[in-house]
Amino acid sequence: MKRRDFIVKGAFALGAVATSDLWLSKIVAGESAMLKNPLLDTYFQVSQEQIKKVLGAALAKGAEFADVFFEYRITSNLSFEEDMVKSARRGIVQGVGIRAVKGDQIGFAFSEELTLEKMTEAANAAAAIASDNTTKARIQPIGAFTPKNLYKINELATTADLNKKLECIKEANEAAKKYDPRIVRVNVGFNDEVKHIAYANSDGVYWEDSQPMFMFQTVCIAEQNGRRETGYTGGGGRIGLEYFNQKRKPSDIAKDAARLAVLNLSAVEIEAGLQTVVLGNSDSAVLLHEAVGHGLEADFNYKKLSNYSGRVGEKVASEQCTVVDEGLFENMRGTINVDDEGNSPQSTVLIENGILRGYMNDRISAKKLGVKSSGNGRRQAYNYPPMPRMTNTYLRNGKYSAEEILQSVKKGIYAKGFTGGNVDITKGDFTFSCSEAYLIEDGKITTPVKGATLVGNGPDVMTKVAMVGNDLKFTDGGWTCGKNGQMVPVGMGTPTVKVSEITVGGTKVKGKAE
Amino acid sequence: MNDYRNLASELVSALKKQGADAADVYITSSNGFNTTVRLGEIEKLQQSTSKGLGLRVFKNGATALTFTTDFQGKTVQELVKETLEIVKVSNTDKYNGLAPKEFLGEYKGNLMIFDESIMKLTPEKKIAMVKEMEEAGRAFDKRITNSNGASWANSVGQVTLANSDGFVGQYQATVASMSVGLLAEENGVKQGDGWYTFNRYFNKLASPKSVGEEAARRTIRRLGGKKVKSQAVPVVIDPAVAGNFVGMLFGAASGSSIYRRSSYLVDKVGQEIVAPAITIIDDATMTDGLASRPFDAEGVKSSSVTVIENGVLKTYVCDSYAARRLTAKVTGNAGRTYQSAPGVAATNLFLKNGKDDPKDIIKSVKNGLYLTEMFGSGVNGVTGDFSQGASGYWIENGEMTYPVQEITIAGNVLKVLKNVQAIGNDLSFRLGSTASPTLLISEMTVGGE
């Protein structure tokens, strides 16, 4: 058994595309602004009095802190293949998670039924984490909250006209088919969701948030002389249908998927071994996510499980590296108005000019380490307890142009697209897998290479970052991060980066004919 | 746990009454408990009760699915109407539909998937076992310096399915597991690993002490890891990893990959695709199998399916949609959750035992890799090419020597399974429901320095 934390593109993206009058009539900010706890009243029909009773039950055996997390998630998905809507799917998941905390010990229970009886039952189960009755936490009155809105949306996908969505899908389908006669199959998916959350804890913190998510994706298969290859492209974030005007049109996404499928038809096998690697901007941030991100989540550090434990103030990367986690960028996939424990996300500098500055904290780890929560307490859903997670993690710009970086490499690999990665946080060994990569010959990008895998050790590879570009770009949706069985959407970004050497997996061995 | 057969049947009738040509209702529910102990202290106690239902309809050849966790009458009735609204968005696909009636039914043998004794264990007993397991691991060697936590989990899950062709079925299954993660340290380098046990029956779990000690052994043996030079060498694949290759092959033989032509096994039924020594079976009726069940997600009676026999691909594995697309046989391989429509999935999938003692297999290798882990998403299901991060142990003159880390392993699934030179006699389902004995591959490319 080996616990590895990981990231994947596309495949695990939460589905969602709702358009029904039934469950959409309830929705949306504005109209319910007159209510004090609009989401609580609209979606959960739970009163403040009931919440107090439930928190009281969770604290009854001596816990020092308790919280309740209500969730009402509307998801929907349209899947288009062989020129038709193959399936339409829509659903509602609702539930409440109740947690009692004592030190770093937690009792946790959840229920899909929001009756006082069922919630109290769950609270009693959570309360059992404490049994000495020594502390008697008092429940603070539920406070007011000031809504924030980092997800400004013109046209929420969940309430959008279904025909408009179908037009987007058809536009993508046609564009992919037309791209090249070798494209033999196109699959277009339109997924969106809205997750309504109400949160209260025994310290009197109360929050509501409606978190939208939208993902549009195309998969193409190209075929030539019996060889088949695939290409995937997706885009989205906490944004509405205006995405297609502001960022990429459906046809842009589809053409990119088709391009990748066709490109891979001519990809060649790669030589295994140590190579100089130039990582393109944007999706290459998967390196940061694996090489440093997970290792800097504070739970791994106060437990001394991470290779970065106890190393704040030490040099852990090349001085060209400044790494930040920031859940504040508007409309980005990893952005949150509030974390799942009622704390506001921050701009947290993790590594500054190569020096380790701090970790990403949730409430428990912050208390353990004697710092403030950085607002990184996140959970997949009501039926999971929160833990420290990344939001949008990025590497700040350096001074080189992408061209200068490429020109400095005589022979190497240029890696641009990735399907995912994972890391063993204890030793720091990571793997990530390319979906688009090329040879670099004499400073120029040349032949595409077959899906290569890069492996290395996080702390080691970060010292081998030889050049950092000035072209920082964030990923366009799509990434989902997994840790201890919980999946959360994340964003990330990086400028072009040169790593002086890294092991590249391949099927060819130097000097040996295949 | 509530009996949901009536609810499921009533909802099927309601969907029909609202105009569905055909419909099915899939309900899952579960109760579970898990706890984590770290360094002797309880870190987490969790109790869960969970449920959800999915409504699926067919109308004029189109299909749609809705789902909810809210079982209240009002919500569910609205959902029924809603499902028949949404289906208007979908297009007619003549291959849509329920599974053929003649395949519906329940496997009547005793699957041994429900153990009442698990439900009777007290939390105190579970915590005591977990503490004993962690303690045994920590005490095993002084190089064990930390714990990533030791956990117990048990659950009982229930699946209920009803469809408009008259099928109504329900079954319950239990599972219990224990796992522990440990850290070892030597010369300033930390290594983590762990071990686990799981079973449908409490009395078939490995003892807490043995799991803890195995976790410690596995953690310690990682110390002193090295990189190696890139080279093509014979590779002995540990059963923990060999199952991955069986899983990859199953994915390529899945009817849904075939009709999409996104597989390297298109038009290969009846052909020898891997070494003749290889037979691969998917058996949903295995006694106490982790994936055993009386019927699949479409109500198809469970059976044992031989996918590859003596190297020859015998059949594609199909749910009813894929079977209709390919004019092939439904194999009872439909899997789903209440939130998703059925798709092709493996049950208890394994490569049949060979004759060789794994020790002899290792002894036969002069210079090669003993592969214990593969990770990463570098598997291309369309071509069978894979390139993944890996770790293991170097074999020299038939002996396991030092651990190797930060390496890659790359190749093509079919090529690897064509180059199988020996198959161990150590098949076991202790590690998961997809399993394989030890395999010896004549040559694979290891990437390193």
Side-chain angles (χ1 to χ4, degrees):
Chain A
M1 181 208 65
K2 193 85 186 89
R3 300 181 193 188
R4 284 180 86 96
D5 303 292
F6 63 99
I7 190 159
V8 285
K9 196 167 191 184
F12 280 86
L14 294 171
V17 182
T19 357
S20 142
D21 295 339
L22 165 69
W23 38 55
L24 302 183
S25 58
K26 282 180 171 182
I27 297 202
V28 208
E31 70 184 64
S32 45
M34 300 302 289
L35 301 168
K36 192 177 168 208
N37 311 109
L39 294 182
L40 197 62
D41 299 337
T42 311
Y43 289 100
F44 307 110
Q45 285 98 43
V46 173
S47 69
Q48 290 205 5
E49 263 324 294
Q50 288 177 323
I51 290 179
K52 272 186 204 158
K53 279 185 188 156
V54 171
L55 288 172
L59 293 173
K61 291 189 181 147
E64 65 195 28
F65 172 87
D67 58 9
V68 290
F69 180 93
F70 295 94
E71 174 178 335
Y72 186 99
R73 186 171 77 241
I74 304 156
T75 70
S76 117
N77 153 276
L78 289 172
S79 168
F80 194 88
E81 207 177 346
E82 297 179 296
D83 301 322
M84 62 174 119
V85 178
K86 280 284 173 109
S87 75
R89 191 163 64 94
R90 192 177 297 161
I92 296 173
V93 169
Q94 72 164 29
V96 59
I98 298 163
R99 181 172 65 147
V101 179
K102 187 164 191 192
D104 57 354
Q105 300 180 294
I106 68 164
F108 183 72
F110 59 87
S111 168
E112 274 94 23
E113 288 175 41
L114 307 185
T115 61
L116 183 60
E117 187 198 343
K118 289 285 180 190
M119 288 194 290
T120 307
E121 215 173 89
N124 291 340
I129 191 67
S131 55
D132 53 6
N133 300 306
T134 49
T135 52
K136 268 274 174 264
R138 286 174 48 194
I139 304 165
Q140 303 301 319
I142 288 173
F145 75 101
T146 317
K148 284 200 306 192
N149 191 4
L150 293 172
Y151 350 110
K152 295 194 179 75
I153 281 181
N154 293 337
E155 192 173 6
L156 186 69
T158 313
T159 46
D161 177 8
L162 205 52
N163 289 318
K164 201 163 170 182
K165 287 184 181 179
L166 282 175
E167 274 169 36
C168 296
I169 288 173
K170 284 174 182 164
E171 178 189 322
N173 185 52
E174 290 307 313
K177 286 200 302 184
K178 260 188 221 141
Y179 181 83
D180 192 291
R182 289 170 288 181
I183 298 294
V184 294
R185 197 155 191 107
V186 181
N187 184 339
V188 186
F190 200 128
N191 306 307
D192 58 68
E193 75 172 31
V194 177
K195 187 165 157 179
H196 300 289
I197 294 164
Y199 172 88
N201 70 29
S202 54
D203 293 341
V205 172
Y206 180 81
W207 253 99
E208 292 185 349
D209 199 21
S210 290
Q211 302 178 342
M213 187 60 81
F214 149 68
M215 265 287 288
F216 185 85
Q217 52 201 16
T218 303
V219 181
C220 292
I221 292 175
E223 196 169 328
Q224 184 177 26
N225 304 331
R227 181 169 172 184
R228 291 182 202 94
E229 293 287 350
T230 177
Y232 166 88
T233 301
R238 299 198 189 279
I239 188 168
L241 292 190
E242 65 274 16
Y243 169 88
F244 295 121
N245 297 324
Q246 293 173 8
K247 299 210 166 167
R248 287 196 283 183
K249 291 194 294 248
S251 54
D252 296 336
I253 288 175
K255 279 188 263 186
D256 195 53
R259 178 186 68 81
L260 287 169
V262 171
L263 180 86
N264 284 329
L265 285 174
S266 60
V268 299
E269 302 214 349
I270 191 175
E271 204 171 82
L274 280 175
Q275 304 249 24
T276 298
V277 174
V278 175
L279 298 163
N281 62 1
S282 180
D283 280 340
S284 304
V286 64
L287 172 77
L288 291 179
H289 184 99
E290 303 302 351
V292 291
H294 279 295
L296 297 179
E297 290 165 338
D299 50 347
F300 294 132
N301 285 285
Y302 84 76
K303 295 178 188 175
K304 300 189 166 44
L305 299 172
S306 166
N307 51 78
Y308 292 107
S309 300
R311 297 183 63 190
V312 171
E314 286 181 30
K315 188 158 186 290
V316 296
S318 142
E319 61 245 16
Q320 294 187 49
C321 296
T322 294
V323 182
V324 181
D325 183 81
E326 186 166 341
L328 301 168
F329 298 105
E330 279 196 2
N331 301 116
M332 211 174 272
R333 186 169 163 88
T335 294
I336 39 178
N337 285 327
V338 58
D339 79 358
D340 297 328
E341 303 180 297
N343 290 311
S344 293
Q346 315 285 321
S347 174
T348 308
V349 176
L350 304 170
I351 295 172
E352 189 177 20
N353 303 324
I355 309 292
L356 180 60
R357 291 296 180 208
Y359 306 117
M360 289 167 276
N361 279 287
D362 66 356
R363 188 189 172 279
I364 289 175
S365 69
K367 214 165 169 190
K368 272 286 197 191
L369 294 170
V371 296
K372 269 189 162 177
S373 168
S374 57
N376 287 91
R378 303 183 66 191
R379 58 207 292 171
Q380 177 176 319
Y382 67 91
N383 49 346
Y384 297 89
M387 58 183 161
R389 301 300 295 263
M390 285 174 256
T391 60
N392 305 303
T393 313
Y394 67 101
L395 182 67
R396 283 205 180 133
N397 265 331
K399 58 186 175 187
Y400 300 100
S401 72
E403 207 185 344
E404 280 175 288
I405 294 175
L406 279 168
Q407 278 170 358
S408 76
V409 179
K410 202 163 157 46
K411 181 175 176 286
I413 302 289
Y414 177 69
K416 189 168 187 296
F418 302 88
T419 55
N422 65 70
V423 65
D424 160 4
I425 53 109
T426 299
K427 178 145 179 285
D429 290 353
F430 66 83
T431 300
F432 58 108
S433 308
C434 304
S435 54
E436 182 180 8
Y438 306 82
L439 298 176
I440 304 173
E441 294 166 297
D442 291 325
K444 289 196 183 63
I445 295 171
T446 60
T447 317
V449 296
K450 263 191 180 179
T453 287
L454 309 184
V455 301
N457 177 268
D460 178 49
V461 85
M462 291 307 286
T463 64
K464 290 180 176 161
V465 171
M467 294 170 96
V468 175
N470 56 12
D471 55 350
L472 169 64
K473 192 179 166 194
F474 285 89
T475 56
D476 182 9
W479 290 100
T480 301
C481 168
K483 174 180 173 184
N484 293 351
Q486 293 197 45
M487 310 293 291
V488 298
V490 293
M492 51 194 190
T494 180
T496 302
V497 165
K498 177 168 110 176
V499 181
S500 58
E501 60 171 27
I502 193 165
T503 299
V504 180
T507 43
K508 283 205 298 187
V509 177
K510 208 177 253 182
K512 185 173 187 281
E514 174 71 359
Chain B
M1 203 160 322
N2 290 328
D3 184 337
Y4 285 121
R5 280 176 293 192
N6 282 343
L7 176 64
S9 300
E10 282 164 22
L11 288 170
V12 168
S13 305
L15 289 163
K16 285 279 280 183
K17 203 178 272 177
Q18 290 286 328
D21 298 332
D24 67 10
V25 174
Y26 189 80
I27 302 177
T28 58
S29 49
S30 68
N31 294 325
F33 171 88
N34 68 71
T35 184
T36 302
V37 165
R38 185 170 167 268
L39 303 177
E41 299 287 330
I42 297 171
E43 191 175 77
K44 186 174 86 165
L45 280 176
Q46 180 170 330
Q47 196 166 304
S48 58
T49 57
S50 205
K51 62 185 172 25
L53 68 83
L55 309 178
R56 191 166 66 118
V57 300
F58 299 95
K59 187 167 169 113
N60 302 327
T63 185
L65 175 84
T66 60
F67 58 90
T68 185
T69 57
D70 181 359
F71 285 23
Q72 290 181 69
K74 188 167 157 277
T75 307
V76 175
Q77 281 157 27
E78 282 177 359
L79 198 65
V80 165
K81 284 186 206 144
E82 192 53 31
T83 317
L84 283 140
E85 278 302 306
I86 300 173
V87 75
K88 292 174 186 165
V89 180
S90 281
N91 294 119
T92 299
D93 180 344
K94 64 178 176 180
Y95 302 107
N96 277 334
L98 298 172
K101 276 186 208 169
E102 63 269 29
F103 289 98
L104 300 179
E106 295 195 35
Y107 175 78
K108 291 299 178 201
N110 189 356
L111 293 172
M112 304 279 286
I113 55 177
F114 188 85
D115 176 15
E116 214 153 311
S117 73
I118 290 178
M119 314 313 293
K120 291 180 184 145
L121 295 169
T122 61
E124 288 75 20
K125 164 81 176 162
K126 297 167 188 174
I127 291 163
M129 285 189 296
V130 173
K131 284 186 173 170
E132 184 192 344
M133 173 173 62
E134 191 193 42
E135 187 43 45
R138 291 176 67 201
F140 187 77
D141 189 295
K142 63 178 189 303
R143 288 170 292 176
I144 300 288
T145 55
N146 199 349
S147 165
N148 197 353
S151 299
W152 163 276
N154 68 270
S155 67
V156 52
Q158 177 178 278
V159 170
T160 311
L161 173 69
N163 74 21
S164 56
D165 280 338
F167 180 88
V168 184
Q170 181 170 280
Y171 61 89
Q172 292 188 348
T174 50
V175 64
S177 64
M178 280 190 289
S179 63
V180 56
L182 297 170
L183 266 70
E185 198 169 341
E186 193 171 58
N187 303 326
V189 178
K190 287 187 207 167
Q191 288 281 2
D193 208 333
W195 194 235
Y196 61 94
T197 176
F198 63 78
N199 207 285
R200 294 206 172 279
Y201 279 76
F202 174 61
N203 63 14
K204 291 183 187 172
L205 288 175
S207 75
K209 185 162 177 281
S210 71
V211 177
E213 290 181 350
E214 181 62 16
R217 264 192 291 273
R218 285 176 174 261
T219 308
I220 289 162
R221 76 175 190 183
R222 296 174 73 88
L223 290 167
K226 296 183 196 171
K227 293 189 202 178
V228 289
K229 291 253 175 274
S230 298
Q231 54 196 298
V233 287
V235 176
V236 179
I237 308 181
D238 186 88
V241 183
N244 292 2
F245 290 94
V246 180
M248 289 180 211
L249 205 59
F250 182 92
S254 149
S256 53
S257 308
I258 299 299
Y259 80 73
R260 290 190 168 98
R261 299 184 69 76
S262 61
S263 166
Y264 45 91
L265 295 182
V266 171
D267 302 328
K268 298 278 191 212
V269 170
Q271 295 183 25
E272 186 177 301
I273 56 164
V274 291
I278 292 179
T279 292
I280 293 177
I281 293 168
D282 185 75
D283 184 2
T285 64
M286 185 182 293
T287 301
D288 77 25
L290 196 69
S292 294
R293 59 193 183 197
F295 54 88
D296 81 352
E298 293 184 293
V300 172
K301 186 176 166 182
S302 289
S303 62
S304 174
V305 179
T306 301
V307 186
I308 290 171
E309 190 169 28
N310 303 326
V312 176
L313 179 63
K314 301 301 281 185
T315 182
Y316 293 130
V317 275
C318 293
D319 58 2
S320 73
Y321 180 85
R324 281 186 289 266
R325 286 295 299 247
L326 298 168
T327 340
K329 201 178 153 223
V330 171
T331 56
N333 280 100
R336 66 174 284 195
T337 68
Y338 74 89
Q339 299 193 8
S340 65
V344 177
T347 65
N348 303 297
L349 175 68
F350 62 96
L351 195 151
K352 254 176 94 172
N353 249 339
K355 295 197 181 79
D356 299 300
D357 185 325
K359 287 189 194 110
D360 295 335
I361 294 179
I362 295 166
K363 269 190 199 138
S364 73
V365 176
K366 210 167 146 34
N367 180 51
L369 175 70
Y370 185 83
L371 180 67
T372 56
E373 279 184 301
M374 284 171 77
F375 22 73
S377 53
V379 178
N380 185 333
V382 178
T383 60
D385 293 335
F386 65 91
S387 174
Q388 296 203 292
S391 63
Y393 299 86
W394 206 255
I395 304 172
E396 277 171 6
N397 299 320
E399 299 285 332
M400 298 260 253
T401 59
Y402 52 88
V404 286
Q405 286 144 16
E406 285 186 68
I407 56 166
T408 62
I409 190 109
N412 181 281
V413 178
L414 282 186
K415 267 192 203 164
V416 167
L417 293 179
K418 268 180 197 151
N419 292 336
V420 165
Q421 295 208 311
I423 299 176
N425 57 9
D426 53 345
L427 176 69
S428 149
F429 289 87
R430 271 173 313 183
L431 301 169
S433 60
T434 296
S436 165
T438 300
L439 302 175
L440 170 62
I441 313 300
S442 56
E443 187 179 282
M444 284 171 87
T445 307
V446 176
E449 291 180 310

